[in-house]
Amino acid sequence: MALLGHVVVRRPGEPEVYAETADLHERFCPGNPGWGHPPLEDDVCTTDEGWGLVDDPGALFGPTIVRWYPTVQWFNGAGFADHLRSLSLYRRLDRDVREPLLDAIAERIRTRMGDRASRRYLSVLRVGRRAE
């Protein structure tokens, strides 16, 4: 069996969109439990959050192999807002909250980040062979 997943991550010292827009998130939708900094890439690789450390895969599978593949996707402000529109965390918001929030995020990326924002991902592949 092969499982593939993707985790949004950050690296220390790199500009991160959420850090630049946290005040906007709180202004338009205060206290949302989904807001927050993505985990550090190294932390994901060393915990089971990124499907890493699982000592016992159970009786159905033998030892598993885990590989991580880092990728970066670049956006301008409008493109990043469009990307966020596709995510369930933002789709669940009422339109009268979501659209002003995403417009403000797009404007922040244009004005403070040079209209260039990255979204760093860690793609995780876990492969396990059925136990004999």
Side-chain angles (χ1 to χ4, degrees):
M1 178 187 300
L3 300 173
L4 181 65
H6 309 282
V7 181
V8 176
V9 295
R10 62 189 167 96
R11 288 184 176 167
E14 280 187 348
E16 200 279 310
V17 177
Y18 182 74
E20 295 293 328
T21 61
D23 63 315
L24 300 174
H25 284 85
E26 281 302 310
R27 181 181 342 145
F28 287 94
C29 190
N32 189 321
W35 304 149
H37 297 285
L40 290 168
E41 184 175 352
D42 289 344
D43 290 347
V44 170
C45 291
T46 58
T47 67
D48 61 3
E49 279 186 50
W51 301 345
L53 304 173
V54 176
D55 293 331
D56 181 9
L60 296 177
F61 295 94
T64 58
I65 298 168
V66 179
R67 299 285 186 268
W68 292 277
Y69 302 94
T71 58
V72 178
Q73 195 172 12
W74 291 94
F75 298 93
N76 63 17
F80 194 79
D82 285 343
H83 169 67
L84 295 180
R85 280 184 184 90
S86 72
L87 303 177
S88 60
L89 180 64
Y90 293 87
R91 293 186 62 78
R92 285 192 302 257
L93 297 174
D94 289 333
R95 182 175 170 71
D96 61 335
V97 172
R98 180 182 59 239
E99 292 309 312
L101 169 60
L102 296 179
D103 290 344
I105 289 171
E107 180 63 19
R108 178 72 53 89
I109 291 169
R110 278 193 294 275
T111 59
R112 289 196 191 172
M113 299 179 76
D115 207 23
R116 185 163 162 82
S118 66
R119 177 59 53 117
R120 181 172 294 282
Y121 295 94
L122 196 56
S123 297
V124 183
L125 174 65
R126 179 177 282 281
V127 179
R129 186 176 292 244
R130 189 172 63 183
E132 300 295 328

